Amino acid sequence: MASGSRFVRHVKWWFFVLPLLVCVVLPAIPDRALFEISDVESQSVVRALGDDRAAAAVDTTNALFRRLFVDTGAVQATISAGGDDDLDADGMHGFAIAWAKHFWMLVYRALYRAVVMHAWLAGLAVLCLAATADGAVRRKIRAAAAGFASPLKFHLAMHALLLTLGATFTVTLLPVPLIAQCWTAIAVVMPLLLWIVNSSG
């Protein structure tokens, strides 16, 4: 039960609480450059995927953002909710408009990063399935040979896996350059952790 509650706390923190805090607090920072896709990041995508696929990632992101947020009226609704310029005696209208613009820039960049990450998704899925199957077979072989499972290794690997998944999800929102090659590192680390979890459970 204790490990289950820790699991739930991990999920809540990484996939709900922290992303919500980031989406609420970060757009209040007045520096617009923090919400733009940096040249370092875009060039890393070009080096990793090539010019054509990097350009296709931008086109896909633009199409998705327009379909999900512009055409539905969500962007216009949030920007218009700032109030009337004539009543902006305390500057709240300007702050609200800036917050909304930064929020949507943050969402756009997260969507772009998710589109780029998609290039690694098929390979990652294959590696994870293979690691899961091989780990399960290794656990059965150990059990048949009267070997002992390692609960400590299992729990450490499970927490590391949750940390990796949560950090991968959250980092798409953070105002730091996200080098495309980091997805390769994740594609190596996640199958390894899955193998440890399934072979030690």
Side-chain angles (χ1 to χ4, degrees), residues 4-194:
S5 64
R6 285 197 298 271
F7 175 81
V8 171
R9 285 199 299 270
H10 272 295
V11 171
K12 285 182 179 178
W13 171 253
W14 286 108
F15 295 97
F16 296 100
V17 178
L18 190 56
L20 182 61
L21 285 174
V22 169
C23 289
V24 171
V25 175
L26 274 184
I29 300 174
D31 188 358
R32 180 185 175 91
L34 288 176
F35 304 94
E36 297 173 347
I37 299 171
S38 68
D39 291 338
V40 172
E41 183 169 341
S42 59
Q43 287 302 313
S44 74
V45 175
V46 172
R47 287 193 298 271
L49 302 181
D51 290 329
D52 292 341
R53 294 181 71 187
V58 174
D59 293 339
T60 301
T61 304
N62 290 337
L64 283 172
F65 187 83
R66 177 171 293 278
R67 184 168 73 247
L68 294 174
F69 305 114
V70 177
D71 293 343
T72 58
V75 173
Q76 184 59 39
T78 52
I79 291 178
S80 300
D84 194 338
D85 278 323
D86 296 333
L87 303 176
D88 191 30
D90 55 359
M92 288 305 296
H93 175 73
F95 173 81
I97 293 297
W99 186 95
K101 288 180 178 178
H102 291 167
F103 171 80
W104 289 117
M105 290 173 70
L106 184 150
V107 170
Y108 177 89
R109 184 174 57 194
L111 188 60
Y112 169 75
R113 289 171 172 177
V115 169
V116 171
M117 180 179 61
H118 186 265
W120 280 262
L121 196 59
L124 177 61
V126 170
L127 288 174
C128 286
L129 285 173
T132 300
D134 187 71
V137 169
R138 183 176 176 84
R139 186 180 69 245
K140 289 179 180 178
I141 292 174
R142 185 187 294 115
F148 295 97
S150 175
L152 177 60
K153 185 186 292 187
F154 172 82
H155 286 292
L156 288 175
M158 180 60 76
H159 283 292
L161 181 62
L162 286 172
L163 178 64
T164 302
L165 284 171
T168 300
F169 178 73
T170 305
V171 78
T172 59
L173 299 170
L174 297 181
V176 293
L178 189 58
I179 307 303
Q181 286 76 10
C182 74
W183 302 121
T184 302
I186 290 171
V188 172
V189 171
M190 283 186 59
L192 176 61
L193 292 173
L194 275 171

